[in-house]
Structures are given as structure tokens and as C-alpha cells.
């Protein structure tokens, strides 16, 4: 498991409930806002595209009507005999550089002037005779009298059209003397009707303001830009937004030029220099003109941004109100559970006098009622089991002690009797005194534990009796670490061990032996050790004794016999240690043939004063 996940604090039920409430508020609001924003954006873009398509189509139609009128004007000289007669006179090479008469110039100027009447989009009309003489609606001082038409950049288009009308892109006419403005023109060849001989050229120069008038009449979008070009991508007119840079304009012109010029009204969406543009184009087959409008998408979304900001504001306010309500209701919902959890922790620590208030009749209320009943029942059962356990331990200890005391008194009295038969001296008095001291220590203390010093006094009394009986054959050594005299120990644990060492280790030996009684500290334990240098015990008998201490009867393999001689007293000591202190405190037996035996008692070490006669009455 990942350590970060292992030590991460789990979420409380209140946090989870609050999170669920917030998600239930935030997700629907977000989805609704996003759906509304996307739908409104699409519908706005679609409406703008449809409206713009109608506008460019209308502008192209208006431009076509104007160009149709100009095309009709270019046909008028072909049907006027006076105009044709004058042009015939000055169409041959023999008339080169020959100027028309005043009357001829006056008649043609009046004719051309009539063509421009009430047509503000026309700047001027020129009729070029075959010899290069120019008849114009402008004043003679503003235009060259003779022009080499065939050297003009636009003439190749007119000649190629072979008598059809031609729309000439914006250019600087060289026949104007001082005017440097740009014009776009409608022109055609003037041919004699019968012979089809070219008599001259008629050319109508139109003002660039014509496109502005058409755009204003169509009420075009202020934020949009416009490009008017032909199928050869020759630019006629351009209207850019005020904040468009020259680089953006160039890229937009390139993008507009890449669109198909022979398509009908079409809508495109392009990204140019990181910006989205909506491009609407309309193509006129009559004039070979495409009007292309490109509108920044960001300008279309102005209203949408306002709607988005409004929606976000409402969403934040709703989220704040919802968060407050969610926090309140999650607190109301989880508060009984939090109180119940605190009470359960106290019950885990053993405090069963707990209850929670029942404030409702729902699931939480029934859970609280069930918890109260459960704690009451647990408290009753624990009290009964605890008291029963204490009584059982007291009975077991009383039974064990009742098994030890008669056995000890019997052995002691037998020793006194033997000594009395062997000798008739005052030593019997000392033995009886020591015996009385032993009996008094066993009878006066009603508690289970006594100080180690008191247990050592009883052991010394027993040793003194045995020394009187065995004489110099019995040697005893007491080695008690300083400060352990007040440590509590069970009653009558040393005497059975000393008696066991004498009876089974030293009594049958002529040279006798030595018994060492030690008390030492080992970490937080005290070790009571009774060791002798008697005859010891074989490994098989030692295994039998150890099994006997655990309360089991085991057949020793390889011909061994179960150890039975002195296991009762040792087993009683083992059981008492386990009952009083727990299974980790016990009696350890070790030894070998001819090397004696060692009995080690492990007892918990405490440095504070203990009321030994009330050790279990708490």
C-alpha cells in the first residue's frame, strides 16, 4: 500500500455529505450554463451568418444593377448616328492628331454629359476616337486631348472582350492631367454596326465611393470587414475594422483570395493569426465579382459574454447559498452520528456508563436507541463476568494454598518427630519456634501478594529448621539485590522450591550441598532464582517435569518415565503465577545430572507501594 494513502486521514461523513451536496449543486449549474452558452453561441453565429449572407447577396445584387446600368450606357453610342459619324471621321490613320471641330466637340460633350446626369456614382465618361482624341465629360483642362489607348494597361481587357462590356479593376488613368485618384471602370469597343469596324472605345470611370454607398444601404455590421474582388483575385474594394493591423489585413486578403470565386453564397470559418473569423462570400456570374465579408467571432460573442458573465455570477451566488445550506444540513445530519462515535470511543476504552439522546424517530433515532440498549447490556454482562472471574480466581488460589499448607505442615512435623527421636535436646524448641513463624506468615496474611522481604523471612525460618535437621550438610546463601524487598510476590513461592532442592537434591547425599536464593532485576522484571548443586535431573525427567508444570501428562519416549515425585508443589506455583500476573510470567526449570537444579520465577517489577491484602479489590 502506498505510504501516503496509508497515513492519509480518512474523510469524515460530514465532509463526504458536504461534498455530495456541493457536487449536486455545482454539476447541474455548470452543465446548464455550458449548454446554454454553447447553444446561444451557435444560434448567434448561425443568425449572424444568415444575416450576413443576405447582406452580401443584397450588396452583390445592388452592384449588379449599377453595373447593368453602366453596361447599358456603354451601348448608347452604338445607336447614335451623330456619335458614329464623328467617330468615323477620326478613326483612320489619315486623321492622326487631327482635332475635331468646335461643334463636333460640343455635340459629343453634351451627349456624354447627358449620360452622366443624375448618376453620382459616375466620375467621368470618356469616348476615345480611333486617332486617340479623347471626348470626356470632364473639362478640357483636366484631361489630355490625345491618348494612345492601345498603350493603356486596361486596353488589352477591352480588346479581348471583342465588343462585350468589361469591368476594369481599380487603376490610375493616365489621361487625367492632375487627378491621381483610383477608379474602377466599365468599358467596351465602339464598332460600326454594319462593317463591325472599330471606331473607338467608350469608358466609364466609377467612383470608389460606390461600394461605400452600397454597404451603407445594406447596413453592414460595423465590426465586420469586407472584400470585393473578381475571379482573378483583383481587389476592387476593401473595408477593414478600425483595430485591424496591416498584417491581419494582409492575411485576411490572402484567406479571401483562397476562397472559390465561382461559388454561390457560402459560409466559412477560418482561424487567422490565432483569431476565429466567420467568412461569408457571394459570387455574381454577371459581373464576375465576389463580395466577401469576414467578421471576428469575438465580436459576435459580445452579447454571449455578457450572458456568460451573468450566468457565472448567478452560478456563484447559487453555489454560495447552496454551500451554506449544504453545510447546515450536513451538520444537522451528521451531528448525531458524531456524538454517537464519541460515545463509542469511550465504550472502547471501557467506560460503559454512556448514553446518547434520542432526538428523532428516524433511522438515526433508532440507531441511538439501539446503542443505548447495547451499552447497558454490555455493562451488565461485563460486571457479571468480571465479578464471576474474581470469585473463580479467589477460589482457585484458596484451593492451591490449601493443597500446599497441609503438605508443608506434614513434612515439618515429620522432621520434628525424627529429630525428637534421635536427640533429646533444646534444639526442638528452636525448630518449633521457626515452624510457628512459618505458620503465622501463612495464616495471618489474607491477601494474595506480600513483600519480598516478608517472603524471605518465611524462607529463612524454613531454612533454619532444615539446617537444624541436616546440620553442616546443608549450606544456604541469600543474594538479594538492594531495593527489591518491597516488591510484591505471591505467598509461599520460595519455601516449596527450597524444600524441593533439599528433598530431591541434597537430602540423600552424604556430603550434602549448597542452595543459593537470589533476587535480581532484569529490565522491568524481577527474577527469583533457587539453585542447588545436588544430583540434578536427566533430560527426559526434566521434559516430564516441564510438561507436568503445564498441566499435561506425557509419556517420555525411549523408555523414559513421567516425572511424578515433586510436581504438585511446582505446578501449584506455576498456576498461581499465571493466574495472578498473566501467561508471560511463569516458572522456568533447568538442570543436568550431577550439576543440580535451577528454578527461576519471573515476576513483574514495581517501585510503588502496594496494598498487598487488597491487591484485587479495585
Amino acid at each position: 500500500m502506498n505510504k501516503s494513502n496509508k497515513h492519509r486521514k480518512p474523510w469524515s461523513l460530514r465532509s463526504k455529505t458536504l461534498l455530495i451536496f456541493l457536487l449536486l449543486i455545482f454539476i447541474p449549474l455548470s452543465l446548464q450554463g455550458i449548454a446554454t452558452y454553447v447553444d446561444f453561441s451557435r444560434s448567434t453565429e448561425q443568425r449572424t451568418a444568415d444575416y450576413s449572407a443576405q447582406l452580401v447577396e443584397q450588396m452583390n445584387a445592388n452592384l449588379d444593377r449599377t453595373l447593368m446600368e453602366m453596361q447599358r450606357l456603354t451601348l448608347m453610342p452604338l445607336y447614335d448616328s451623330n456619335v458614329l459619324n464623328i467617330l468615323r471621321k477620326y478613326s483612320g490613320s489619315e486623321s492622326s492628331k487631327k482635332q475635331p471641330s468646335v461643334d463636333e466637340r460640343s455635340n459629343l460633350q453634351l451627349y456624354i454629359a447627358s449620360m452622366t446626369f443624375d448618376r453620382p456614382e459616375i466620375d467621368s465618361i470618356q469616348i476615345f476616337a480611333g486617332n486617340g482624341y479623347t471626348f470626356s465629360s470632364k473639362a478640357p483642362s483636366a484631361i489630355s486631348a490625345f491618348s494612345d489607348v492601345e498603350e493603356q494597361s486596361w486596353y488589352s481587357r477591352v480588346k479581348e472582350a471583342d465588343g462585350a462590356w468589361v469591368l476594369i479593376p481599380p487603376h490610375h488613368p493616365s489621361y487625367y492631367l492632375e487627378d491621381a485618384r483610383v477608379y474602377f471602370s466599365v468599358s467596351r469597343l465602339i464598332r460600326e454596326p454594319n462593317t463591325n469596324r472599330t471606331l473607338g472605345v467608350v469608358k466609364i470611370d466609377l467612383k470608389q465611393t460606390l461600394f461605400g454607398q452600397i454597404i451603407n444601404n445594406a447596413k453592414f455590421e460595423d465590426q465586420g470587414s469586407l472584400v470585393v474582388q473578381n475571379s482573378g483575385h483583383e481587389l476592387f474594394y476593401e473595408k477593414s475594422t478600425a483595430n485591424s493591423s496591416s498584417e491581419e489585413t494582409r492575411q485576411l486578403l490572402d484567406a479571401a483570395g483562397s476562397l472559390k470565386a465561382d461559388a454561390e453564397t457560402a459560409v466559412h470559418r477560418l482561424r487567422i493569426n490565432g483569431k476565429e473569423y466567420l467568412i461569408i462570400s457571394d459570387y455574381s456570374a454577371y459581373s464576375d465579382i465576389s463580395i466577401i465579408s469576414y467578421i471576428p467571432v469575438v465580436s459576435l460573442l459580445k452579447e454571449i459574454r455578457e450572458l456568460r458573465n451573468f450566468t457565472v455570477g448567478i452560478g456563484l451566488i447559487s453555489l454560495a447559498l447552496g454551500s451554506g445550506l449544504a453545510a447546515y444540513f450536513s451538520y444537522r445530519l451528521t451531528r448525531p452520528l458524531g456524538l454517537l462515535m464519541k460515545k463509542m470511543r469511550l465504550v472502547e476504552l471501557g467506560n460503559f456508563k454512556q448514553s446518547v439522546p434520542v432526538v428523532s424517530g428516524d433511522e438515526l433515532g433508532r440507531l441511538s436507541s439501539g446503542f443505548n440498549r447495547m451499552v447497558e447490556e454490555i455493562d451488565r454482562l461485563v460486571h457479571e463476568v468480571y465479578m464471576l472471574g474474581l470469585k473463580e480466581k479467589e477460589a482457585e488460589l484458596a484451593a492451591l494454598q490449601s493443597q500446599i499448607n497441609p503438605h508443608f505442615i506434614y513434612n515439618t512435623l515429620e522432621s520434628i518427630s525424627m529429630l525428637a527421636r534421635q536427640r533429646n535436646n533444646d534444639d526442638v524448641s528452636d525448630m518449633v519456634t521457626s515452624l510457628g513463624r512459618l505458620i503465622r506468615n501463612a495464616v495471618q496474611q489474607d491477601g494474595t501478594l506480600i513483600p519480598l522481604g516478608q517472603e524471605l523471612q518465611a524462607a529463612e525460618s524454613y531454612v533454619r529448621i532444615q539446617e537444624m535437621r541436616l546440620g553442616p550438610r546443608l549450606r544456604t546463601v541469600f543474594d538479594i539485590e538492594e531495593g527489591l524487598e518491597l516488591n510484591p510476590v505471591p505467598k509461599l513461592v520460595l519455601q516449596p522450591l527450597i524444600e524441593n532442592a533439599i528433598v530431591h537434591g541434597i537430602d540423600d547425599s552424604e556430603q550434602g550441598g549448597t542452595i543459593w536464593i537470589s533476587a535480581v532485576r532484569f529490565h522491568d522484571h524481577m527474577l527469583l532464582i533457587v539453585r542447588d548443586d545436588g544430583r540434578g535431573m536427566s533430560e527426559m525427567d526434566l521434559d516430564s517435569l516441564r510438561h507436568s508444570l503445564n498441566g499435561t501428562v506425557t509419556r517420555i519416549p525411549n523408555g523414559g518415565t513421567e516425572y511424578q515425585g515433586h510436581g504438585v508443589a511446582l505446578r501449584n506455583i506455576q498456576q498461581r503465577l499465571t493466574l495472578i500476573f498473566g501467561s508471560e510470567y511463569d516458572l522456568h526449570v533447568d538442570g543436568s545430572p550431577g550439576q543440580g537444579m535451577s528454578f527461576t520465577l519471573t515476576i513483574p517489577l514495581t517501585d510503588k507501594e502496594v496494598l498487598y491484602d487488597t491487591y484485587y479489590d479495585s
Side-chain angles (χ1 to χ4, degrees):
M1 181 183 293
N2 194 338
K3 290 185 178 181
S4 61
N5 293 332
K6 182 178 180 181
H7 298 288
R8 185 180 299 168
K9 185 178 180 181
W11 282 33
S12 63
L13 181 60
R14 182 178 301 173
S15 300
K16 293 178 181 178
T17 305
L18 180 59
L19 177 62
I20 291 174
F21 282 153
L22 292 179
L23 290 177
L24 290 177
I25 296 171
F26 178 75
I27 292 177
L29 282 177
S30 300
L31 293 178
Q32 182 182 6
I34 293 173
T36 302
Y37 180 77
V38 171
D39 181 69
F40 193 70
S41 299
R42 290 177 178 175
S43 61
T44 301
E45 183 175 334
Q46 185 63 43
R47 288 197 304 270
T48 303
D50 294 341
Y51 177 70
S52 299
Q54 293 175 4
L55 287 181
V56 295
E57 186 176 0
Q58 179 182 350
M59 285 187 285
N60 223 342
N62 292 338
L63 181 60
D64 284 348
R65 282 195 294 270
T66 301
L67 293 178
M68 286 180 184
E69 180 65 17
M70 298 303 107
Q71 185 262 352
R72 187 184 63 80
L73 289 177
T74 60
L75 288 174
M76 290 178 62
L78 278 70
Y79 301 100
D80 193 297
S81 59
N82 291 331
V83 174
L84 292 178
N85 289 332
I86 295 173
L87 292 179
R88 287 190 194 101
K89 186 176 179 180
Y90 299 99
S91 62
S93 58
E94 67 279 358
S95 61
S96 177
K97 300 299 181 179
K98 182 181 178 181
Q99 290 193 5
S101 64
V102 175
D103 291 338
E104 291 172 339
R105 290 198 303 268
S106 178
N107 289 335
L108 272 182
Q109 284 179 350
L110 289 174
Y111 177 79
I112 293 173
S114 66
M115 294 172 62
T116 61
F117 179 75
D118 199 24
R119 291 184 176 91
E121 68 272 11
I122 297 177
D123 182 79
S124 64
I125 298 177
Q126 282 69 237
I127 295 178
F128 301 96
N131 66 348
Y133 187 82
T134 305
F135 299 94
S136 176
S137 60
K138 281 187 173 294
S141 60
I143 195 167
S144 299
F146 288 92
S147 299
D148 190 356
V149 179
E150 294 184 358
E151 296 298 326
Q152 299 290 324
S153 59
W154 47 266
Y155 181 75
S156 59
R157 299 173 185 263
V158 178
K159 184 178 180 181
E160 185 179 354
D162 196 23
W165 76 284
V166 176
L167 181 62
I168 302 172
H171 59 286
H172 293 278
S174 61
Y175 43 81
Y176 293 123
L177 296 179
E178 297 178 356
D179 195 352
R181 288 180 294 178
V182 175
Y183 300 93
F184 72 102
S185 307
V186 175
S187 179
R188 74 165 69 235
L189 294 176
I190 300 176
R191 288 181 172 176
E192 194 170 10
N194 296 325
T195 63
N196 205 28
R197 182 170 65 93
T198 301
L199 299 179
V201 177
V202 59
K203 183 171 180 284
I204 303 175
D205 291 335
L206 300 172
K207 299 175 182 178
Q208 288 290 100
T209 56
L210 171 63
F211 295 103
Q213 294 174 0
I214 294 175
I215 292 173
N216 291 333
N217 292 335
K219 298 181 181 179
F220 189 71
E221 173 65 38
D222 293 337
Q223 297 296 327
S225 300
L226 194 72
V227 171
V228 180
Q229 64 183 15
N230 59 17
S231 59
H233 306 308
E234 294 173 310
L235 183 64
F236 281 76
Y237 179 78
E238 173 199 355
K239 176 185 178 296
S240 301
T241 56
N243 55 357
S244 295
S245 64
S246 58
E247 178 65 21
E248 289 182 359
T249 302
R250 185 188 63 79
Q251 293 179 356
L252 287 170
L253 289 174
D254 293 341
S258 65
L259 299 175
K260 294 178 64 177
D262 57 348
E264 295 180 352
T265 305
V267 179
H268 308 272
R269 188 184 180 105
L270 296 179
R271 177 178 290 273
I272 302 173
N273 199 21
K275 296 182 180 179
E276 290 282 347
Y277 287 89
L278 192 65
I279 299 180
I280 301 96
S281 63
D282 183 80
Y283 175 74
S284 171
Y286 173 76
S287 61
D288 191 35
I289 288 293
S290 292
I291 297 181
I292 304 171
S293 168
Y294 47 93
I295 305 171
V297 175
V298 66
S299 66
L300 302 179
L301 302 181
K302 181 179 180 181
E303 296 181 2
I304 301 175
R305 287 198 302 271
E306 295 177 356
L307 175 64
R308 179 195 63 191
N309 296 337
F310 177 76
T311 303
V312 171
I314 293 297
L316 291 177
I317 295 174
S318 301
L319 185 61
L321 293 176
S323 300
L325 293 175
Y328 173 75
F329 285 112
S330 63
Y331 172 76
R332 290 294 302 271
L333 287 174
T334 58
R335 181 184 178 185
L337 292 177
L339 179 61
L340 183 61
M341 184 175 64
K342 292 180 181 178
K343 297 294 184 178
M344 290 180 67
R345 289 175 180 171
L346 294 175
V347 172
E348 290 178 357
L349 297 176
N351 187 354
F352 299 106
K353 302 295 183 180
Q354 302 297 325
S355 64
V356 293
V358 180
V359 296
S360 63
D362 56 7
E363 290 82 355
L364 292 176
R366 291 195 292 272
L367 182 61
S368 300
S369 300
F371 173 80
N372 294 338
R373 291 193 299 270
M374 179 188 69
V375 172
E376 291 175 359
E377 185 66 16
I378 291 176
D379 183 55
R380 184 185 65 81
L381 293 175
V382 168
H383 183 73
E384 292 180 358
V385 172
Y386 181 75
M387 296 304 297
L388 180 61
L390 288 180
K391 292 179 180 179
E392 288 179 351
K393 285 189 176 182
E394 291 176 356
E396 290 176 0
L397 291 176
L400 290 175
Q401 292 180 2
S402 66
Q403 294 177 7
I404 294 174
N405 293 339
H407 180 68
F408 168 65
I409 294 174
Y410 175 80
N411 291 336
T412 304
L413 292 177
E414 183 181 4
S415 298
I416 296 174
S417 177
M418 291 175 58
L419 184 61
R421 285 196 299 269
Q422 293 176 3
R423 307 179 199 175
N424 189 12
N425 53 38
D426 295 335
D427 292 339
V428 176
S429 175
D430 292 337
M431 295 180 67
V432 171
T433 300
S434 298
L435 177 60
R437 210 178 275 124
L438 281 175
I439 295 175
R440 185 166 55 253
N441 286 333
V443 174
Q444 286 181 351
Q445 296 293 335
D446 296 332
T448 303
L449 302 175
I450 61 174
L452 175 62
Q454 187 174 339
E455 178 67 14
L456 290 174
Q457 290 178 1
E460 289 173 354
S461 297
Y462 177 77
V463 168
R464 189 174 296 111
I465 293 173
Q466 296 299 335
E467 287 177 344
M468 291 179 184
R469 184 174 71 85
L470 298 177
R473 290 194 305 125
L474 176 62
R475 297 172 294 279
T476 58
V477 178
F478 285 87
D479 183 14
I480 308 302
E481 186 174 334
E482 185 178 357
L484 296 179
E485 290 81 1
L486 294 179
N487 199 75
V489 297
K491 289 193 304 182
L492 297 177
V493 292
L494 291 179
Q495 182 273 330
L497 298 179
I498 298 173
E499 179 185 1
N500 183 80
I502 294 174
V503 173
H504 298 285
I506 298 175
D507 203 6
D508 295 339
S509 176
E510 293 182 1
Q511 67 273 19
T514 303
I515 300 175
W516 290 270
I517 298 97
S518 304
V520 296
R521 299 175 185 268
F522 184 74
H523 298 301
D524 56 348
H525 299 154
M526 180 180 69
L527 302 181
L528 287 180
I529 305 171
V530 178
R531 180 170 58 87
D532 66 78
D533 57 357
R535 58 176 178 157
M537 187 177 295
S538 66
E539 189 65 29
M540 286 188 296
D541 290 339
L542 193 61
D543 288 340
S544 178
L545 178 59
R546 287 169 179 166
H547 284 87
S548 176
L549 293 179
N550 293 326
T552 59
V553 179
T554 307
R555 294 187 178 275
I556 305 302
N558 300 325
T561 59
E562 182 182 357
Y563 185 86
Q564 297 177 350
H566 49 274
V568 174
L570 299 181
R571 186 163 61 248
N572 287 341
I573 294 174
Q574 167 76 3
Q575 293 176 356
R576 290 168 63 199
L577 288 176
T578 303
L579 284 173
I580 295 173
F581 299 120
S583 60
E584 60 177 314
Y585 301 96
D586 57 2
L587 171 63
H588 180 71
V589 181
D590 196 8
S592 59
Q595 301 298 321
M597 296 289 292
S598 176
F599 300 90
T600 303
L601 300 175
T602 304
I603 296 173
L605 186 63
T606 179
D607 293 330
K608 58 184 179 180
E609 185 176 357
V610 179
L611 299 176
Y612 301 98
D613 56 341
T614 59
Y615 189 78
Y616 276 96
D617 298 336
S618 58

